[in-house]
Structure formats: structure tokens, C-alpha cells
């Protein structure tokens, strides 16, 4: 079980220029289209989303900051005024997959990670 | 630049800042706000929700950043301790001093604690701030760990009942102690109070009336209360809610005029006895009264802002104290003068003890005006009655229709349309927005939608009570302007659900992606995806396994997600009839996978706590034993409840179990705009509660009566009679037509009862379409249903037989590990998720 504090320490956004390791997490076809899947890296759970219509990929913490449950990969994806987002399956709070902000105007935010596709493989960028 | 200092960052102090920040002359003021509490102003009205929210963030009226953006200096945790009116300066407890040109006192009030012996004992609390609630919660937990459960609330007013509800929800055995001979003595008469007590006691809260407390006993922790009548009550904690005391201590020290029973004297400009000092909110003594509600406080804030910016706005001469009780599991409201009954007023009362409803209206002797009233048990007409009262609208001929509903006539409401209200009618009292403001913003072209109107006027943004009326006004005004009020489903599709249904059907659009390409834009969202999924399912009977990404998250995994991200398993048990063999299988599976097991309210069995990767394993075993998906996760047919009926019951007229099973088997898997439930009862004793369902069938002499459009849930409605004395075949034929008509035309997430409410022509029209086939579509509807029925497949069976589909049910894509973060705690002989 994650405490609030541990969670703030564990999940911090990574900018593409700060990536230390590009971790291979599977092939493109392992991930559902226009929906999410969850991967594990060290003790982290990261949700990975493939927006097939624009062929873009996003990754964010799997932990929903609202009630601290490991569920975001199972949320529905979509966009709000063009911003790609995921909506939590528990209470439908929506988060921008670009910068992790909450789109309902609340103060929660989530950490996001860069995704790279190379030769049919999916890589997530971590700084640890 | 003029310096404005606001003392108190509570609801009203904040409202003052918000209004001044938005004022055209904003730039002429430098604003500083002092708040004694550690956090910025929060929504005290919804304070009790703190217990379920577990965080104060959602209650904040604005985050700290808002004050920064609006160049307002916010100093929290800083108490203003002194005012020197002669040199216009205040000093805080940190010994900082500040000059002002205008001083706004919005210090609110504190709970009144009667001078009883023992009030300072451990375990005695008040109920006003987030810190109070935190302390109460912590203490309750501590008590419970010691096996102590007794809480009492001193005071049976509005707030006391709210506090009682809160301690009950915290798991305490709660009593309410009231000095007066009735509950909510300022709002309710004896009859209303008697009914309310019954309701409250049925919720497990004890009520003691006419109790004069003498002393709080225990040392150092409270263990009980002694009363003057010699009796006593054992309690482990006490919450005092005995009224409020304006926080006028600063004003008294500064020599401002205050009332003998507290409160800072103000005039209609909200000026105190010193013209550069204003007092607003619960600390202000206006018209010899202190008003413990936000709406008058907000009005005061508006008046004060107007006054310092050179306007001439005055406070209304009389203050309305109408209120609705929140949170005690029953509806209670009072408005105007609830007690008035003399030569100038006549009271009309309606009481139904069986249903627990009491309604009273006080009208003028000539029957033309509504002067006040009380509603207990059913306050759905509160908004309408309040409008009639506050706007002094002429009442209809038969005033009793207002509480009894028009009888015998066309079934129309006795209230008419919201558009008939005068422009001055106040619709949102929290933000004081009139009907004219709302309609004017549309007719002037400033706004063009409900969202615009709420954004501009703030109507319904506070307590939300007026939202239905604001919505109606906006829709009706737009209609009257010749604009079609288009109920588009979301930003990605400019169509209503019904239009999308027709378009998908006519153009045979095969997938959601094609629909986005042809009819919509963007990536879609969590609103339009499930709507389209439901449309595809209703037209093509496709299961949730085909277009996985657009399914609502429960449908995507064919199970209901629970608090901790695990799932529940609900196999179908048609009509609630189950063999002992199958019961044994359920028990064995639950045991094997360590699932929490419970009988549902829908006559079947729910197994909770399955992890994603376990779902297919569990379902494989269940399917082998002959079970099918119960679609408990879908907006689809859930259950058709049955009573035992004529096979065993001595009163049964027909075989209700067989018929319920037949119907559940027929419509299983059918997806619809919202969930669908049915019931079949073997006689009018109605043990299957069929009239509480979307369709209910009741055995009568000569056949079945078919009722439609009922539901339980948040807004219970009894189903209404569609046709009577039907044979099995006709009953099913009518049901096919009714269900298909609903599936085609309802808005997303609209159950059958609100759908019927909105259907032009109402029940008569529905009867014409379904029974008389006035549209000539009956055969088409029946054929469509027949096709769907024939195409049924169990989607769980489909999923476990396909390795490709099975890939979905894994927690991690890159490893076979399971989610280690799950924590369960024991509960009775089973388990539950660790609480939030
Ligand atoms: C399990 C069960 C409670 C129980 O332990 O008994 C239940 C559990 C839930 N109900 Fe219910 N309802 C259950 C019987 C009922 C009943 C009783 C009945 O069916 O006779 C009602 C009132 C009747 C009715 O629906 O008209 C009921 C009215 C609701 C409502 C309010 C619907 C409304 O129109 O106001 C909701 C909310 C909604 O659907 O939007 C709801 C929603 C829910 C949800 C789906 C909330 C959620 O999203 O998590 C719960 C799912 C828990 C789960 O994972 O299974 N549940 N719910 C019952 C399952 C019955 C079954 O066998 O399928
Ligand atoms: C549990 C609960 C439920 C309620 N439900 C309803 C309801 O349903 N409907 C309704 O209309 N009303 C309701 N109310 C009442 C409503 O919350 C109050 O009317 C409203 O908050 C009054 O606003 P105010 O700004 O005057 O006072 P407050 O919101 O109390 O704000 C005053 C603030 O000033 C601070 N302060 C005081 N003195 C100083 C000082 N010297 N220096 C610095 N700061 C100071 C206080 O700490 C406080 O934060 C409820 C209240 C409670 C407690
Ligand atoms: S009433 Fe229904 S939705 Fe509410 S807690 Fe119970 S099961 Fe969940
Ligand atoms: S847990 Fe994600 S929205 Fe509540």
C-alpha cells in the first residue's frame, strides 16, 4: 500500500531530455489500441496508452491520485478540446496525458513518462 | 488606491473578495484578507462531506493560486486581534499592523456552548470547522478501538441532525438530545417533527425530546449526561450543536455598536456604526437578526462591494430563511413562515403516515398567496413552492392541488412552466440570480447554452438546488427564441443519441472509428464511447468483446470494478431460481478464490474481490457449471425478480417464477440507454416489487397487468399501467415494442421513468404507440427485438474461448506478476478492501 508521501516520491514526471533508461516494455501489438495497458518497472506501475488515430503514445503513473488505487490503465481514453486524456475507472476524474494535470479543475496531478517506438517495440523513458 | 481589509476568510468573506475581484473598479483597490483558519475559505455548507471526501481540497471555494492571480493578499492562520478605528489600523496576533480605508468584518460565528458543568471534558466537540471534524473522526476511531460506540448530539436543529448523521456514518450509535418538545423547532411543527422522528429512528438514531441537560459527567473523559428530570444517558462522546454566537469580540473591543444578544449592528448598506467599517455574514446583526445561512451572507457581500465602489445597492428589507435539510436520509424543507395560522393565514395539511409524508402550506385567507410551509418525506416540490412564495405569485383556484397534485385532470403539474414566473423571481438564492438575469443573458445573445449561463451568472454553482429550474429556464428560453435545444452528447459528436442511433442504423456504420470519421471529430471521450458502444450493441447485438476500447471500463473487463480495483462476479440467476447444485458451485468457486460473498438486492449472488487475471479462471469454472454472464456491469438487462407465485404460494394467481425466467432469458444481454430491470409478481400483494422496476408484471384475474417505467434508486417511481389482463404472448409482444421504442429514443443514461416524463404526450402517447400501434412501427419493433434475442451470446463464454480476447485480463503487459499493492482486511468471517 502506498502512502501519500511515498507516492509523491515514487512517481515524478520525466522529461524526454532527462531520460536515463529507455526500458523496453513490449511490442506495439501487445498494447490495446485507443485504450491502456499497465507495465511494471522496478516497483512502479505505469499505464501506457496508444492513440491509434494519430499514432501517438502516452504513459503515466497507474496510480490514481484521487483514492490512490492502481487503476488508471483501465480508464477510458479520449480528448478534451484536443488534449489527450484518460478518465479514471473509479470516479471518472480526467487527467491530461500531455502534462498530467487534472482536467476537472482539481489539484491532483499525475506523473507522465515519455514513450518511444522503435522497430515495433515500445520503450518508456525513466530517470531512475 | 484604497486599501480594503477583510477580516475572516470564510464563505462570506470569500464571496466579498470574489465580487470585488470581478468588479470593473477592481484596480482602485488593494485587498488583504485575514483568516484565522489554516486553509483558504472552504464550503462550510458541505462540510459534512469532508468525511467521505477524506480531503479538504474539493471543499475549497478557490485554491491559493486564485488569490494570487487576483492580486489579493491572503494571510491564513493569522487572527486579527485589534482595531483602532481612530487611525484606521488593525493589529494581528502576530503583532503585524495594517492600515485600511475600508474594513470588512466577516468573522462569522462560533457554535454556542451552553454554560453546562463539564463542557470542557475530553470527548466533547463542536461542529464548525474541518479541524472539528478531524478531531471528531479521530476520537470516534479511538473509542471504537476500545469497544465504545455511544455518541450523542446536543441540539436537534438543522445542524445537530447533520452532525448526528455524521457520527452515525462514522459507525457510532447516535442519539440526539433536544430541549424543545420537537426536532428542528425553528422549522417544523409538531406533526412534522413526529414524522421526522419516526424516519430518523428508523435510521438507527435515537431521539430524546424535552431534555434539559444538567451536567456532563466523567473524568477526564465524558461518560454520560445528567438531565434535570433526574434521568441520565451514557455517552462516550458528545457533539454540541446548540446554536451559534456571532464572533463580535473584535467589534466590541473597538467600540462598534453591537446587539445585546450579540452581533454587529448594521444598516441596509451593511455599514456598522463606523461608516468605514462594514460587517457581513453571520456576524452581522441586521433587522435585529443573525442569519445562519449563506444566501443572506452572499447578498450582504454584494451590497458591501457595491457600497464601497460607489453604488447604491441596499440589503432586502426582509430576509428569507427557507431551508432544506441535507443528509439525513429523508427530505425535509420549510419556507416562509412555517407556523403561521391565525386570522391572516389558513394552513392546509396533508399527512400520509404510511408513506411518511407530511406537507403543510399556509395561505392567505382569500387563497391567493402562499405564506409559508413545511415538507417532510417528499420535498420534490420545494423549488416550485418556494418560487410561488418568494415571488408572491397568485395561487391556482384549488390551492390544495399544490400539495396533492392535480387530481382527475390531465396529469399536468399544478405549477405550470418556469417561464410563467415574473422576471424578478429569484431563482438562485445563494448567488441571487433572478429569472430575468438568466433569460436576459440568452435573449441578449451574451450566452447561448446552459454552461454559458452558469459561467456568467453563477446560478446553481453553490448548493445546486436550483439546477433543475435553471436548466428548464434555459431550455424553454432557447426554444422560445426559435432555437432548437440540441442535446448533443459531447464535444465529439454534434448529435443526440437518437440521431446517432438512426445514422448508425441507416448508414450501417460498422465501427466507432468509422463513426468518428464520418460523424464526429477528435479521439472521443468517456461519454461518447459508451453511448456509441450501446448503440452498436442495440442495433447489431454485438458483445462488449468486439470493440473493446470504446466500452465503459466495467464492460471492457465484463465485471464491476470495486473500491480497490478488484472486480465482482455476478452470474445470471434468471428469476432468482437456483438449484442446490448450482449454489454449491458458487460456494466452491468463492472459497477457492477467496471471494467475499453476498446475496444482492437483485435476487442473485455476488462474489467480490477477484483480481483481473482471476476473472477468466473463475468464469471458466462457472460456465462449465452452466452459468452465464449476469451483465451486472452493463447498461443492459439486469434481473427480472420474481415472487414464488402460484406453484407454492396460497394466494398466487399465475406462475410468476416461470414467467420471470422466460422474460429474463428473452432479454438477457440486451443493451439499452441505461440499465433495465423487471419483476413478476404472482398477485397484487406484489412481493417481487415489480412496480419498482422498468417493467413490472402482476398476475390478476384473467391475465397479467403490465406496468412500465418505474425504478427504485435515488428517485423512486412506481411503474404505471400500460395494459391489463394480457395473456403471456401479448404481454411479451407489448414488452418487445416498449423496450425497443425506449432503446431507440432515450437519451444516454436516461432510465425509463425520466424518459416517460420527457416523452411528448406522456403515458397516453406511449399507450398509443405500443398498444394501438399509432405510428405503424409495431411490427418493425417486434422484428428488431426478435433479431436481437436470436443473436444472444454469453460474452464471458466468448471471451474465455478466445486466446486473443484473454490477453485483456492481465494486470501487467510485460510480466505475469499480479498487483502486489492490494491490501485486504478481515471483516466478520470474510474480507474487504482496506478502507480509503
Ligand atoms: C450488488 C448490488 C448491491 C447489493 O449488494 O445488493 C448493487 C450494486 C451496485 N449498484 Fe445497485 N446494486 C444492486 C441492486 C440495486 C437495486 C435493487 C434491485 O435491483 O432490485 C436498485 C434499485 C432498483 C433500481 O435500479 O431501480 C439499485 C439501484 C442502483 C442505482 C440507482 C439507479 C437509479 O435509477 O436511480 C445505481 C446508480 C446507477 O445505475 O447509475 C446503482 C449502481 C450500482 C453500482 C453499479 C455502483 C457502481 O458503479 O459500482 C454497484 C455495483 C457493485 C458491484 O460491483 O456489483 N444501483 N441497485 C445489487 C446488485 C443486484 C444484482 O443482482 O445485479
Ligand atoms: C455543518 C454546517 C452545515 C451548514 N449547512 C448550511 C446549509 O445547508 N445552508 C446554509 O445556507 N448554510 C449552512 N451553514 C451555515 C453557513 O456555513 C454559514 O452561514 C456561512 O459559512 C457563514 O459565512 P461567514 O463567512 O459569515 O462565516 P464563516 O464561514 O464561519 O467564516 C468566518 C471566518 O472568519 C474567521 N475569523 C473569525 N474571527 C477572525 C479574526 N478575528 N481574524 C481572522 N479571522 C477570523 C473564522 O475562523 C472563519 O474562518 C452550515 C454551517 C455548518 C457549520
Ligand atoms: S447503494 Fe448501491 S451504489 Fe450505493 S453503496 Fe450500496 S451498492 Fe454501492
Ligand atoms: S480513484 Fe480515480 S477518480 Fe477516484
Amino acid at each position: 500500500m502506498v502512502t501519500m508521501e511515498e507516492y509523491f516520491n515514487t512517481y515524478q514526471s520525466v522529461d524526454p531530455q532527462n531520460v536515463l533508461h529507455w526500458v523496453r516494455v513490449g511490442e506495439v501489438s501487445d498494447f490495446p489500441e485507443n485504450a491502456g495497458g499497465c507495465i511494471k518497472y522496478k516497483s512502479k506501475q505505469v499505464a501506457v496508452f496508444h492513440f491509434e488515430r494519430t499514432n501517438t503514445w502516452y504513459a503515466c503513473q497507474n496510480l490514481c491520485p484521487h483514492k490512490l488505487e492502481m487503476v488508471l490503465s483501465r480508464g477510458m481514453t479520449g480528448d478534451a478540446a484536443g488534449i489527450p486524456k484518460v478518465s479514471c475507472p473509479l470516479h471518472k476524474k480526467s487527467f491530461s496525458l500531455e502534462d498530467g494535470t487534472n482536467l476537472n479543475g482539481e489539484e491532483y496531478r499525475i506523473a507522465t513518462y515519455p514513450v518511444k517506438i522503435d522497430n515495433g517495440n515500445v520503450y518508456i523513458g525513466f530517470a531512475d | 488606491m484604497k486599501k480594503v481589509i477583510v477580516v475572516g476568510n470564510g464563505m462570506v468573506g470569500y464571496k466579498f473578495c470574489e465580487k470585488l475581484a470581478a468588479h470593473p473598479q477592481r484596480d482602485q483597490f488593494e485587498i488583504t484578507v485575514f483568516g484565522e483558519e489554516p486553509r483558504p475559505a472552504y464550503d462550510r455548507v458541505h462540510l459534512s462531506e469532508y468525511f467521505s471526501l477524506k480531503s479538504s481540497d474539493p471543499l475549497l471555494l478557490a485554491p491559493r493560486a486564485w488569490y494570487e492571480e487576483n492580486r489579493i493578499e491572503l494571510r491564513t492562520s493569522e487572527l486579527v486581534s485589534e482595531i483602532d478605528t481612530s487611525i484606521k489600523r488593525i493589529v494581528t496576533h502576530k503583532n503585524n499592523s495594517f492600515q485600511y480605508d475600508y474594513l470588512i468584518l466577516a468573522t462569522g460565528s462560533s457554535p454556542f456552548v451552553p454554560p453546562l458543568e463539564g463542557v470542557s471534558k475530553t470527548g466533547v466537540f463542536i461542529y464548525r470547522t474541518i479541524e472539528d471534524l478531524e478531531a471528531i473522526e479521530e476520537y470516534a476511531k479511538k473509542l471504537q478501538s476500545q469497544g465504545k460506540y455511544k455518541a450523542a448530539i446536543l441540539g436537534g436543529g438543522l445542524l445537530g441532525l447533520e452532525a448526528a448523521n455524521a457520527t452515525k456514518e462514522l459507525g457510532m450509535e447516535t442519539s440526539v438530545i433536544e430541549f424543545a418538545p420537537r426536532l428542528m423547532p425553528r422549522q417544523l411543527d409538531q406533526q412534522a417533527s413526529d414524522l421526522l422522528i419516526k424516519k430518523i429512528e428508523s435510521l438507527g438514531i435515537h431521539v430524546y425530546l424535552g431534555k434539559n441537560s444538567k451536567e456532563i459527567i466523567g473524568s477526564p473523559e465524558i461518560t454520560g449526561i445528567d438531565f434535570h428530570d433526574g434521568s441520565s444517558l451514557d455517552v462516550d462522546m458528545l457533539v454540541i450543536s446548540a446554536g451559534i454566537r456571532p464572533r463580535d469580540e473584535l467589534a466590541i473591543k473597538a467600540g462598534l455598536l453591537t446587539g445585546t444578544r450579540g452581533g454587529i449592528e448594521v444598516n441596509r448598506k451593511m455599514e456598522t456604526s463606523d461608516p468605514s467599517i462594514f460587517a457581513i455574514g453571520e456576524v452581522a446583526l441586521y433587522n435585529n437578526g443573525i442569519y445562519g445561512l449563506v444566501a443572506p451572507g452572499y447578498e450582504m457581500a454584494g451590497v458591501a462591494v457595491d457600497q464601497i465602489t460607489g453604488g447604491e445597492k441596499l440589503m432586502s428589507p426582509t430576509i428569507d430563511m427557507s431551508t432544506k435539510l441535507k443528509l439525513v436520509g429523508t427530505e425535509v424543507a420549510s419556507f416562509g413562515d412555517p407556523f403561521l395560522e391565525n386570522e391572516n393565514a389558513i394552513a392546509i395539511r396533508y399527512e400520509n403516515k404510511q408513506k411518511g409524508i407530511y406537507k403543510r402550506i399556509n395561505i392567505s385567507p382569500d387563497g391567493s398567496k402562499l405564506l409559508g410551509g413545511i415538507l417532510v418525506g417528499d420535498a420534490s416540490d420545494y423549488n416550485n413552492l418556494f418560487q410561488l412564495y418568494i415571488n408572491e405569485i397568485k395561487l391556482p383556484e384549488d390551492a390544495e392541488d399544490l400539495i396533492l397534485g392535480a387530481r382527475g385532470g390531465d396529469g399536468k403539474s399544478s405549477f405550470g412552466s418556469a417561464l410563467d414566473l415574473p422576471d424578478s423571481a429569484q431563482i438562485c438564492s445563494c448567488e441571487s440570480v433572478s429569472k430575468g438575469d438568466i433569460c436576459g443573458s440568452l435573449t441578449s445573445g451574451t450566452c447561448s447554452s446552459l454552461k454559458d449561463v452558469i459561467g456568467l451568472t453563477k446560478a446553481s454553482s453553490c448548493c445546486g438546488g436550483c439546477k433543475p429550474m435553471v436548466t428548464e429556464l434555459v431550455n424553454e428560453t432557447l426554444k422560445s427564441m426559435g432555437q432548437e435545444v440540441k442535446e448533443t452528447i459531447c464535444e465529439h459528436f454534434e448529435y443526440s443519441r437518437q440521431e446517432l442511433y438512426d445514422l448508425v442504423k441507416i448508414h450501417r456504420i460498422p465501427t466507432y472509428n468509422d463513426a468518428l470519421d464520418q460523424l464526429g471529430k477528435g479521439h472521443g471521450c468517456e461519454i461518447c464511447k459508451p453511448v456509441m458502444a450501446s448503440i452498436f450493441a442495440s442495433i447489431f447485438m454485438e458483445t462488449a468483446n468486439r470493440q473493446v476500447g470504446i466500452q465503459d471500463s466495467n464492460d471492457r473487463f465484463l465485471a464491476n470494478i470495486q473500491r480497490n480495483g478488484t472486480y465482482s462476479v455476478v452470474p445470471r440467476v434468471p428469476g432468482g431460481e437456483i438449484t442446490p447444485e448450482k449454489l454449491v458451485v458458487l460456494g466452491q468457486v468463492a472459497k477457492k478464490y477467496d471471494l467475499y460473498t453476498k446475496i444482492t438486492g437483485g435476487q442473485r449472488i455476488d462474489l467480490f474481490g477477484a483480481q483481473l487475471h482471476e476473472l477468466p479462471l473463475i468464469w471458466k469454472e462457472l460456465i462449465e457449471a452452466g452459468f452465464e454472464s449476469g451483465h451486472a456491469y452493463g447498461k443492459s438487462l439486469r434481473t427480472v425478480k420474481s415472487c414464488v407465485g402460484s406453484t407454492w404460494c396460497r394466494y398466487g394467481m399465475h406462475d410468476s417464477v416461470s414467467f420471470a425466467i422466460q422474460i429474463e432469458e428473452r432479454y438477457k444481454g440486451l443493451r439499452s440507454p441505461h440499465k433495465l430491470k423487471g419483476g413478476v409478481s404472482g398477485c397484487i400483494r406484489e412481493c417481487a416489487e415489480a412496480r419498482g422496476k422498468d417493467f413490472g408484471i402482476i398476475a390478476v384475474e384473467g391475465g397479467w397487468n403490465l406496468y412500465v417505467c418505474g425504478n427504485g434508486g435515488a428517485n423512486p417511481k412506481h411503474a404505471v399501467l400500460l395494459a391489463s389482463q394480457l395473456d403471456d404472448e401479448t404481454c411479451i409482444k407489448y414488452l418487445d415494442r416498449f423496450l425497443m421504442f425506449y432503446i431507440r429514443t432515450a437519451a444516454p443514461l436516461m432510465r425509463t421513468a425520466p424518459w416517460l416524463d420527457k416523452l411528448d404526450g406522456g403515458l397516453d402517447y406511449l399507450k398509443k404507440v405500443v398498444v394501438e400501434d399509432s405510428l405503424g412501427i409495431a411490427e418493425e419493433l417486434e422484428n428488431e427485438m426478435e433479431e436481437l434475442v436470436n443473436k444472444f451470446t454469453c460474452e464471458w463464454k466468448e471471451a474465455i474461448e478466445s486466446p486473443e480476447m484473454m490477453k485483456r485480463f492481465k494486470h501487467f503487459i510485460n510480466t505475469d506478476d499480479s498487483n502486489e499493492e492490494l491490501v485486504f482486511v478481515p471483516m466478520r468471517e470474510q474480507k474487504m478492501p482496506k478502507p480509503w
Side-chain angles (χ1 to χ4, degrees), chain B residues 195-234:
Chain B
L195 252 184
L196 178 60
I197 290 172
K198 273 225 186 86
K199 287 257 178 174
I200 288 185
E201 296 203 316
S202 75
L203 300 170
I205 298 177
H206 311 284
V207 178
Y208 298 93
L209 295 178
K211 286 279 179 197
N212 189 357
S213 310
K214 189 166 139 204
E215 188 183 340
I216 294 172
I217 46 182
S219 62
E221 293 107 12
I222 172 171
T223 54
I225 308 174
D226 283 347
F227 301 105
H228 278 288
D229 61 9
S231 62
S232 58
L233 185 68
D234 289 343

Side-chain angles (χ1 to χ4, degrees), chain A residues 64-69 71-72 88-93 95, chain B residues 836:
Chain A
C64 178
H66 177 221
K67 293 290 179 187
L68 302 183
E69 297 294 350
V71 290
L72 287 180
C88 176
L90 284 176
H91 310 96
K92 300 249 152 98
K93 297 199 185 283
F95 300 92
Chain B
W836 282 333

Side-chain angles (χ1 to χ4, degrees), chain B residues 554-629:
Chain B
N554 281 347
D555 297 71
R556 178 172 165 203
F557 298 109
L558 308 176
N560 286 325
I561 195 165
Q562 305 297 322
R563 295 174 80 98
N564 60 351
T566 61
Y567 289 90
S568 66
V569 171
V570 192
R572 187 166 295 290
V573 179
E577 183 187 82
I578 187 163
T579 59
E581 289 74 18
K582 278 186 153 179
L583 263 181
V584 168
V585 171
L586 287 178
Q588 280 165 340
V589 169
K591 226 164 139 178
K592 174 162 171 194
Y593 293 92
D594 189 18
L595 303 172
Y596 168 84
T597 307
K598 168 174 193 307
I599 311 282
T600 71
Q603 296 189 337
R604 46 192 187 171
I605 293 169
D606 203 340
L607 314 176
F608 294 86
Q611 295 187 49
L612 194 53
H613 67 274
E614 293 173 323
L615 284 174
L617 307 174
I618 294 170
W619 274 104
K620 192 158 179 296
E621 297 194 23
L622 293 175
I623 286 168
E624 273 165 14
F627 285 104
E628 282 179 341
S629 167

Side-chain angles (χ1 to χ4, degrees), chain A:
Chain A
M1 197 62 197
V2 198
T3 66
M4 202 45 144
E5 211 178 325
E6 280 163 9
Y7 139 64
F8 276 118
N9 298 335
T10 319
Y11 293 101
Q12 272 160 13
S13 291
V14 174
D15 283 336
Q17 65 268 26
N18 300 336
V19 170
L20 290 181
H21 305 288
W22 285 101
V23 178
R24 182 184 175 278
V25 293
E27 289 174 20
V28 166
S29 61
D30 291 335
F31 290 84
E33 286 180 355
N34 298 319
C38 178
I39 63 99
K40 189 171 176 184
Y41 171 64
K42 295 189 179 166
S43 64
K44 286 194 184 70
Q45 297 196 13
V46 171
V48 182
F49 302 95
H50 180 192
F51 281 55
E52 179 270 335
R53 295 175 63 81
T54 42
N55 201 20
T56 38
W57 290 70
Y58 302 93
C60 69
Q61 65 188 59
N62 192 33
L63 184 76
C64 178
H66 177 221
K67 293 290 179 187
L68 302 183
E69 297 294 350
M70 287 293 183
V71 290
L72 287 180
S73 61
R74 289 176 262 162
M76 300 190 77
T77 56
D79 77 282
I83 302 171
K85 65 167 189 174
V86 60
S87 152
C88 176
L90 284 176
H91 310 96
K92 300 249 152 98
K93 297 199 185 283
S94 290
F95 300 92
S96 155
L97 290 172
E98 273 171 356
D99 63 6
T101 49
N102 174 293
L103 297 170
N104 314 91
E106 286 158 313
E107 289 192 5
Y108 319 109
R109 93 196 329 272
I110 54 171
T112 56
Y113 299 87
V115 188
K116 186 167 88 176
I117 306 298
D118 193 10
N119 215 355
N121 291 313
V122 183
Y123 298 83
I124 313 283
F126 291 99
D128 59 335

Side-chain angles (χ1 to χ4, degrees), chain B residues 296-485:
Chain B
Y298 281 5
E299 190 184 346
M300 293 174 180
V303 170
V305 167
D306 196 67
Q307 287 291 338
I308 67 168
T309 50
E312 285 167 1
K313 208 187 223 168
L314 295 177
M315 195 63 194
S316 315
T318 54
I319 302 284
D320 174 65
M321 291 297 283
S322 305
T323 32
K324 243 175 132 171
L325 176 65
K326 316 177 295 262
L327 296 173
V328 186
T330 182
E331 297 184 10
V332 179
S334 83
F335 56 94
D337 186 336
F339 306 119
L340 208 59
E341 192 167 21
N342 54 27
E343 61 278 13
N344 297 320
I346 297 165
I348 303 179
R349 295 183 173 84
Y350 163 76
E351 184 174 20
N352 183 332
K353 285 206 170 130
Q354 186 213 357
K355 291 190 175 158
I357 295 174
Y358 173 69
K359 298 180 179 189
R360 163 180 179 164
I361 51 175
N362 307 323
I363 58 172
S364 59
D366 64 354
S368 70
K369 258 195 261 169
L370 185 57
L371 305 170
I374 299 174
L375 303 169
V376 178
D378 171 12
S380 50
D381 287 332
Y382 172 73
N383 271 325
N384 286 318
L385 289 170
F386 179 70
Q387 285 301 328
L388 293 179
Y389 151 71
I390 198 88
N391 298 302
E392 303 191 1
I393 291 167
K394 190 171 175 333
L395 299 184
E397 197 78 19
D398 296 310
E400 70 267 23
D401 287 356
L402 295 175
I403 46 176
L404 295 175
R407 283 136 301 138
D410 51 6
K412 276 249 178 300
S413 134
S414 4
F415 293 106
S417 153
L419 276 190
D420 300 339
L421 293 169
D423 271 352
S424 61
Q426 201 177 75
I427 304 297
C428 172
S429 22
C430 297
E431 298 284 345
S432 67
V433 183
S434 68
K435 179 200 155 200
D437 298 335
I438 292 170
C439 301
S441 73
L442 293 164
T443 46
S444 68
T446 320
C447 296
S448 58
S449 68
L450 179 64
K451 211 168 136 203
D452 291 355
V453 172
I454 294 176
L456 180 81
T457 63
K458 292 205 154 16
S460 81
S461 63
C462 182
C463 74
C466 60
K467 184 93 181 261
M469 200 162 248
V470 175
T471 313
E472 185 184 343
L473 277 175
V474 169
N475 287 345
E476 292 300 312
T477 310
L478 288 175
K479 251 190 216 161
S480 74
M481 288 162 68
Q483 287 186 21
E484 196 193 339
V485 186

